[in-house]
Amino acid sequence: MLTIQAYNDKKEANLANIETHNQVKPTRLTHFRSEYRRGIKANYHGCQHMLMVLFIASIMVITACLALKHVRLIELWIIPFTLMAANLIEYVAHRYLGHKMIKFKGWALGRLFYQRHTLEHHRFFDQHNMDYQSTRDWRVILFPSYLIVGICLVGLMPLMLIGYSLDSATAANVIAAAEFAPYSALNLASLASISAIFCYLSYEALHFSYHLPKAHPLRLRLDMLPWWRRLRQLHVQHHHPRLMGRGNFNVTWPLCDYLFNSLYWQVNIKKIK
């Protein structure tokens, strides 16, 4: 039985032949892939990248779970609220940062996101070439690990600290404690943090699954799920050069695409200018 490393080595050795047979426009795309792969640092390992993201996410979730105390049913409203907010953030970030170079007073807002997404990810994968070929290709699929570090340190941990401070201040005020008794600010912040990490990992997992090779065992199992095939279809269409800036921006659930009329289940690409 081949080990994972032997399997990856074999994939790397046959990479040129695989792409020659699978690409519709092999010259441009294959050239970009070759150049991009040469630019990946020698010490990069896709499995380490994925494990690092999971490790940081796990620390955040465990911290938030430990902070929960006597959660009440009335506090659970924060979970669907966070899920919907995350779906909106995913949509806005993808549409307006991932596919547009927004400038504000001469500063390119989101330049790194635009560079990594449109100029790299969408040039590495098109609608006819969605499969990665080795674990080193994961660099162009997964978010950089520092992103989840930033989300935790700049967003979620301060949110929990604010919740803790509010609970402490409320506990010191008998009148306020009686008025806001149904809610714990720390519980709300912790539940929101857990939900946010869930959304982040859902994005990474689903997006990664859309780029699995056809013969991958996990891909074969996922292909049996109608809802997954439909979601992947949306993402495949999004990778068409004419459609990528127009629709199918939600990678997880297409809620905001539906609300903002940018959802394309079936589309005649030839009619898009």
Side-chain angles (χ1 to χ4, degrees), residues 1-201:
M1 182 179 295
L2 288 175
T3 64
I4 294 177
Q5 185 61 44
Y7 174 78
N8 289 332
D9 290 343
K10 183 178 180 180
K11 297 287 281 187
E12 290 281 2
N14 294 311
L15 188 57
N17 291 332
I18 291 174
E19 292 192 350
T20 300
H21 285 87
N22 289 344
Q23 314 305 330
V24 172
K25 295 181 179 180
T27 303
R28 179 182 299 178
L29 192 142
T30 304
H31 175 72
F32 178 79
R33 285 187 169 188
S34 298
E35 291 295 319
Y36 185 88
R37 286 173 177 138
R38 278 196 288 268
I40 298 176
K41 295 181 179 179
N43 62 351
Y44 174 82
H45 298 284
C47 293
Q48 290 181 3
H49 185 170
M50 183 177 290
L51 289 174
M52 178 60 70
V53 172
L54 293 174
F55 176 72
I56 297 168
S58 298
I59 291 177
M60 187 67 238
V61 170
I62 292 172
T63 302
C65 287
L66 292 175
L68 293 172
K69 292 182 179 179
H70 308 294
V71 178
R72 302 179 183 184
L73 186 62
I74 196 172
E75 295 172 338
L76 299 182
W77 66 267
I78 196 66
I79 296 177
F81 176 83
T82 304
L83 296 180
M84 290 187 290
N87 193 269
L88 177 61
I89 293 172
E90 172 189 318
Y91 178 89
V92 171
H94 191 173
R95 180 170 187 171
Y96 297 107
L97 295 180
H99 288 285
K100 291 183 180 180
M101 181 67 74
I102 299 178
K103 295 185 178 181
F104 179 71
K105 293 184 178 180
W107 179 61
L109 179 63
R111 179 178 178 84
L112 182 60
F113 189 11
Y114 179 83
Q115 168 71 29
R116 194 174 181 97
H117 188 71
T118 294
L119 302 184
E120 294 180 7
H121 182 73
H122 274 272
R123 293 176 67 188
F124 198 95
F125 299 106
D126 65 18
Q127 75 278 20
H128 299 294
N129 306 271
M130 292 288 290
D131 301 354
Y132 71 78
Q133 304 299 342
S134 74
T135 57
R136 289 180 62 78
D137 290 349
W138 293 5
R139 186 187 181 281
V140 77
I141 299 175
L142 301 173
F143 282 132
S145 55
Y146 59 74
L147 178 60
I148 192 170
V149 174
I151 290 174
C152 293
L153 294 182
V154 178
L156 302 184
M157 289 301 295
L159 180 65
M160 292 181 61
L161 289 174
I162 292 173
Y164 176 80
S165 299
L166 289 175
D167 278 356
S168 299
T170 302
N173 187 326
V174 178
I175 298 177
E179 184 177 355
F180 297 102
Y183 296 99
S184 164
L186 181 57
N187 280 349
L188 293 178
S190 299
L191 290 171
S193 297
I194 295 170
S195 302
I197 293 296
F198 171 79
C199 292
Y200 186 95
L201 294 181

